[in-house]
Amino acid sequence: MVKSGTIILNTAARFLMPLQLMFSVFLLLRGHDEPGGGFIAGLVAAGAFTLYLLAFGVSATKEVLRMVDPRDLIGVGLLLGMVSVVPAWFMGQPFLTAQWWTIPVIDFKASTPLIFDIGVYLAVLGSVIGMVMALMEVDKDEP
Amino acid sequence: MQFAVLMGFVLAALAPMLHRWFADRTSLVLALFPGLIAAWLFSQAPMVINDGPVLLEWQWVPSLGISLTFLLDGLSLLFGLLITVIGTCVLVYAGGYLKGHPDIARFYLALMAFMVSMLGLVLADGLVTLFIFWELTSVTSYLLIGFNHADLQARKSARQGLFVTFAGGLALMAGLVMLGVASDSWSLTDIRAMETDLREHALYTPMLICLLLGAFTKSAQFPFHFWLPNAMAAPTPVSAYLHSATMVKAGIYLLARLQPELGGTSLWVGVLSVVGATTLLVGAFLAIHHTNVKKLLAYSTIMALGTLTMLLGIGTEYAMTAFVTFLLAHSMYKGALFMVAGNLDHETGTKDVTAMGGLRPLMPVTAMIALAAALSLAGVPPLFGFIGKELKFEAALGAGDYRSLLVIFAFLGAVLTIAVAAIIALRPFYGTRHHTPKAPHEAPLSMLIGPGLLSVGSIAFGIAPGAFGVNALLTSAASAVSGEPMDITLSLWYGVNLALVMSVVSLALGFLLFKYWDDVRARLSILAPAMRRGPEAGYEGLLNGMVVFSEWQTRILQNGYMRNYILVMLVVLIALIGNSILLRHSPLLAFDLDVRFHEVIVVGTMTMSALFATVTRSRLGAVVSVGIMGFSIALVFILFSAPDLGITQLLVETLTVILLVLVLFRLPRFSHLSTSLERIRDGSVAAMMGILIFLLIMTAWSIDQFESISTYMVENSAPLAYGRNIVNVILVDYRALDTLGEMFVLALAAIGVIAMLKLRHEPESPRTAAESSKSDTQEPYDG
């Protein structure tokens, strides 16, 4: 159950994962104007990792994630969500008022909602793959 | 100033770190905080006394009219000084008393946090702020009583104190809300400046009862007094600080604060005088039953708290003078006596006064401090306690209602208190030497400074009550309590009057009682069975009853079967929503059947998969068919042009199927299938739920309760929020707070799942850990 081990899924997962992750970043960044956003993007990224998990198992996925523990992703996500509150505070505006800045050279709209959205992305990603990995590890521990 | 006080919380949080740097000198460093605040209060004193109350405003939640405003008048100045000066003494003392204790850093943390909370409580002008600080003192008191958490008795006492004060806190909250509603203001200053009389308001009686419940539980009035003696499980510095000088006086403070607005009615006078006098007598009477020096003091504190309540109830000018004088006197001598008790306990290793004796040559300074403080407790001239006691008698003699009752109770209480004072000052230090668990010698300097200072105060204020600005401070405080300007001149000698006669007689009787204390105690022991049926037994019964009840209802409602939970939830939903739909909105079924072919297909697929899920015997089959239903819903979203929802639904559905498969894969085969009776039950509930949702959607669709907000969101998402995807703008901008909350919920759920799965499989020994990590590395290659 833990991993399929079939060649087709393994090959597909190896190629699909980077594509899915790039797509998730794409969805995340365009989310404010077009369909997308942090929640959907987080789910897509979680789907990417889940596919990889199903194909190669927990330890191989942990190697891909290197030092990053899904639980840390949850923490960083929540932190970013809270951090996005701070600028409005300094401007003397009510809690969670959006702040917008334009970065001159590349004409990129940076904003607190974007930081917030990245926080959502990471929290969703961390939560889902944390749960999936925990469930799969339980399977593996069984004799 | 608010900032300085709140910085105390930061300092409390830093206490463990400071302890690492300063080690044994931490207490001195921390004592700087109350010391500085005390200095500031002293510097403000002339202004407050001469020019009236000072108001320090700081907006907190302006949109709700909540501000962190401090009110500095005579009463809060007196309390603030007590808290900071005694706090300084206690911190220094604690440094010696708990020296070398492994958890001393945690002690400093809780004690500092308490100090700040208590300061906030007496300085707060807003009712909301007052309540928050009030509850904080309960929490920190809980932490301090339960400081020796390995001790069952300490844990139990801490919980008892918490329950009693929190129950009162709930009543207090209700009372404060009623006060706020009745006066249409949330600030003490505004309430005081009000024209209308709150005593004639319709809410007066319920409001007063709630406020009194809060104050009486906090200040250990009969019949809620039982938690205070048990709170003596705390380390002695805590007893000296929280449970005699400050926290237990919070309830008294509240009553004094509200006396000008709420006092003077027959309800107020009756309840406060009678409860106060009863507490006074019960406390004093129970005190002489005990040989544990801390219990003796605790019951005598209950007696003092009863006295204060009684004086507030009497409400005359004399009573107000007596109130502030007795408050100051009691805090000084009782704080000192508790620290003396701590010295005895620390040096001899026992708390039983009958086990001590002849310690005076070994601990001369402690003996002197004890003598001074006990003389003040007994009310012997020329100590400050004498003035307090004289005024108390005068006030009782001048009472309007219940005069004879109050005079008799006050007199009997004084006799018993004098016996208690003699027991503490004389019994351990004179007579024959007893063998004690530890070889006693004089306590270190740090444990003598605090109580010594307080005892010197008791003497100095008594000999020269006019000096040191005591008169001015007490005048200002008494004026704040009575609500009108007063002029107090304290003196030791008021001439020969009835109060003086009562003092002298009570001294003689009290000393007699001390002489025959051992006999009296032996005779009183026949009362023991009756004592066990006191209010504490009622508390225990209530608690046990609650445990039995919750066990019963948990067994019924939370039996661990998922299907039962779902069944109960659905039946409740059907009952509540069905009731509301059928009775309040007649269900509207106006719709036209204008459907396209592909819509029929999608809905047909959904129906088929739902039916299949109910009849299949394979778990995997059920999961897959539920998944198909989810995907069909996504299709519906896409058909009705909601791409965001469609994508989300698809992704969520995919991941849900994966998660379900991972969970269900591990379950064994069905051990039995449901009986036909169960199927009929489940089927009918499911059918009713389906019909209900159908009706709900149809009804909701055709009712316009209020104007839709979607137009506003559509129009403003681009100009205001710079985004054209309205769904995302709602998520991250319009409703970002909701999303933030949901993020936390999701994170908590994930952490819960991870913890539940991981903890069960935590390796129990290093060997199994090594084995499991070995299998970790092998795992990818062996499938």
Side-chain angles (χ1 to χ4, degrees), chain A residues 1 9 25 34 105 108 116 123 134 141 143:
Chain A
M1 169 60 217
L9 184 62
V25 174
E34 309 288 336
V105 184
F108 180 75
F116 188 82
D141 290 349

Side-chain angles (χ1 to χ4, degrees), chain B residues 9-37:
Chain B
F9 282 123
V10 178
L11 197 60
L14 291 180
M17 216 166 71
L18 290 175
H19 180 65
R20 218 167 295 148
W21 291 342
F22 294 105
D24 285 347
R25 282 189 295 277
T26 321
S27 61
L28 300 177
V29 176
L30 289 174
L32 282 178
F33 171 74
L36 286 174
I37 301 243

